[in-house]
Amino acid sequence: MNYRIHFLLFLLFANASLSAQSLAPLTVEKIMRDPKMWIGTSPSDITWADNSASVYFDWNPDKNPDDSLYNYSLATKKISKVTLEDRKRMPGKNGVYNRLHTARLYEKNDDIFLVSYKDFSIRQLTNTVEKEQDPEFSGDEKSVVFRRGNNLFSISLASGLLSQLTDFKTGHKKSEPKPDASEKFLEAEQLALFKVLQERKSKKDAGKKISEAEKPAYLKEIYLGEKTVSNQQASPDNRFVTYRLTKPDKSAKTTNIPEYVTESGFTEDIPGRTKVGAPASEYEFWVYDVKKDTARMVSVKDIPGIRNKPDFLKDYPKRDTAQIDRKVIFHGPYWSENGQQAVVIIRSTDNKDRWIMAFDPDSLSLKLLDRQRDEAWIGGPGIGNYPLSPGVSGWLDNRTFYFQSEETGYSHLYAMDVVTGVKTALTAGKFEVQNVILSANKKHFYLITNEVHPGEQHVYRMSAKGGNRTRLTHNPGAHEVTLSPDERNIALRYSNSNTPWELYIMKNPKSGEMAKPEQITHSTSTEFNSYAWRKAKIVTFKSSDEKEVYARVYEPVKSNGKAVIFVHGAGYLQNAHHWWSQYFREYMFNNLLTDLGYTVLDMDYRASSGYGRDWRTGIYRHMGGKDLTDHTDGAKWLISNYNINPEKIGIYGGSYGGFITLMALFTTPDVFRAGAALRPVTDWSAYNQGYTSNILNLPQTDSLAYRRSSPIYHAAGLKNHLLICHGMLDVNVHYQDVVRLSQRLIELGKDNWELASYPMEDHAFTEASSWTDEYKRILKLFEEQLK
């Protein structure tokens, strides 16, 4: 046998071996192992060196217990691990630039530093045992303003002089005891009777007058009482200091979570959160005028629509609807570079309004620039889903303020002339602007949008005035962008549907050019790469209300006539996309199911992200409504298009996915033969304030929404088999949820359900043994119940 035959036989056997390995069946034990030990760890937290010559990132190619810091040099094209000594000498991440981007302020180890971009030298500005943070350049850029404790300080870059700008004090000012009538009488009598006392008092009063006259002018003492101070900001000329006062309601009751398996051997309590509808904090916006030495609260009474009532109250006609000012939270102010214009972003605590207003700190006046009202709730990319989020915003020049809004039903970028009030749409269309970066010279925006496809995210460059966008990335999937300080290069994190995130470097192309990303890291293991992970097919189907639903379909080589629907969690999250899913364990489990002949459907049901305002708010006042019918419509679509046996469809998911699974088995029991509800919400009145109040309002004001949306009220409908899995240390969806549901099912006489409890797990499991146990139970459920 000659060498050529030997070589061909070697290739034949090698390919056969690789093919057999690729087609080797997955098991739950394999895919639920510690991911960093067998999949690999993707690079994260990407930052550039100040000189733009290298990129830093967290990575773990050696499978250590924790990630380490690595550096990639553009010159040598090599990756190296950063030593501990080098890490100590490195400047801190992020921070703020001066206007010309020739210097950067940052905090590190609770101190403030300044790096010069002329020679990249580092100057330490503070060195104390106290924590200094939030450094900013003053309006004239001759000093640095920062926060230490509750107060603002300023340090001169020329002289190093440290000046205190505010004097906030906790608690209440102690008042001098005032003499009563009898004490005043006695004092007057003493002075009238004794001449020596008169003379001594006269000398003391004169000395005190001189001493007071010689005292320097001190800052106004501002006592906080029971409130806390935050968001302290000095105006560019240091005349005004604006700040937010928060008054917490200490009557709000929290939930304690018992921990049974402890080092001490005793049951210990983990402090938990409050429940939705609990007494909430109140916020005030104040201005301290340094020149006038006065502190004044900004009134909200003239904010347009401040007394508007939400539409849902029409369902409760007998309720008192007295007109009162709604509670709000101020963000900012955001000052123009010349310090002549200030803008505040105001959000109502019921999250149904966002106002962008011009603000005069001298008169405390507010002038409306833009109002976004939503009878459901304000949210979307670049806007934020919670009142404590100000969203994306900034200044293009001394009179043009940019921000994002869902005015058209999709989150887009706008520019506002704060002098004339003229608003200009910089982007438009039936897509979302996902991320916004303004170039250092403020001439261009770098945007991430999903305009190519809802399941893809690409980087674009656009003039700050709007107009045509230049697409910079082209590989199908998703991209995260980090510009180098000199903006000549772009660091990208990129992934597609069956490949985890990797780091790429790309030249920032000039107009008319194209640049190809160069892959820097290769993170996945040989074992992980040996399996032919599927690129699930992205499809759409029509819902019963004629909406287009995007979904992933995992198609088996040979169907067994059974189907499983996976329901992603988080509510406002996207999973039917072309990039690596954060639900990677479920992705692998869906591959396992498909290997066994199941057809798996994973859809972006109503309230998923990526599809605009109407999709985002499609569950308002009825969770388990349109989001559930999307899944029952998906089941019908599977039956029609994949010849699935209607008696052999299962459903599973965690968190919000667990909630949908419960609603599916309780309210549509003839559609799903079996379901696995993992860490599910069973009663929305027991969930948190921020998320739940957006969608269902408050339980005490909109009880109808809570009753139709909470599975515990529909448990009588359970007909087919239900598996519930829940971590007993869950600080997000409390274990109490499934305990209450268990009691309800017991009282209803249901016997086709089981509860698996995990004594040492939180909402997201951490132990491979727990993941393995959970998914073995899910697989067993489907294999036994979808016979």
Side-chain angles (χ1 to χ4, degrees), residues 259-268 760:
E259 184 175 10
Y260 292 97
V261 183
T262 63
E263 290 184 13
S264 69
F266 291 89
T267 301
E268 299 172 6
M760 300 188 72

Side-chain angles (χ1 to χ4, degrees), residues 677-716:
L678 320 176
R679 50 201 177 276
V681 175
T682 68
D683 185 349
W684 286 108
S685 64
Y687 198 51
N688 67 28
Q689 172 75 17
Y691 179 81
T692 320
S693 63
N694 275 344
I695 305 169
L696 301 179
N697 304 306
L698 300 179
Q700 60 266 38
T701 60
D702 198 0
S703 58
L704 293 175
Y706 280 82
R707 284 186 172 269
R708 64 175 161 240
S709 301
S710 297
I712 199 165
Y713 293 106
H714 307 282

Side-chain angles (χ1 to χ4, degrees), residues 427-484:
T427 62
K430 291 186 176 182
F431 64 90
E432 292 184 328
V433 175
Q434 303 283 338
N435 195 21
V436 176
I437 300 171
L438 182 62
S439 66
N441 61 13
K442 297 191 174 184
K443 291 184 178 180
H444 293 93
F445 282 111
Y446 292 86
L447 309 175
I448 293 180
T449 80
N450 62 356
E451 57 195 274
V452 170
H453 184 278
E456 293 192 31
Q457 295 185 352
H458 288 282
V459 183
Y460 295 80
R461 186 174 58 227
M462 180 186 75
S463 166
K465 297 179 180 179
N468 294 329
R469 293 176 292 281
T470 300
R471 182 174 166 184
L472 304 183
T473 57
H474 299 273
N475 292 328
H479 301 79
E480 298 173 358
V481 59
T482 308
L483 278 173
S484 62

Side-chain angles (χ1 to χ4, degrees), residues 359-425:
F359 174 60
D360 183 344
D362 192 9
S363 65
L364 305 189
S365 62
L366 296 164
K367 184 182 77 171
L368 183 66
L369 298 173
D370 183 79
R371 180 186 179 190
Q372 186 178 334
R373 169 77 177 181
D374 198 316
E375 285 298 334
W377 72 94
I378 300 293
I383 299 165
N385 286 295
Y386 307 104
L388 282 169
S389 171
V392 169
S393 66
W395 290 92
L396 293 177
D397 54 46
N398 284 319
R399 59 185 287 170
T400 310
F401 190 75
Y402 70 87
F403 58 93
Q404 284 183 250
S405 171
E406 279 189 324
E407 179 180 322
T408 63
Y410 294 86
S411 183
H412 282 290
L413 190 61
Y414 293 82
M416 171 70 70
D417 186 317
V418 299
V419 177
T420 64
V422 174
K423 181 170 65 174
T424 304

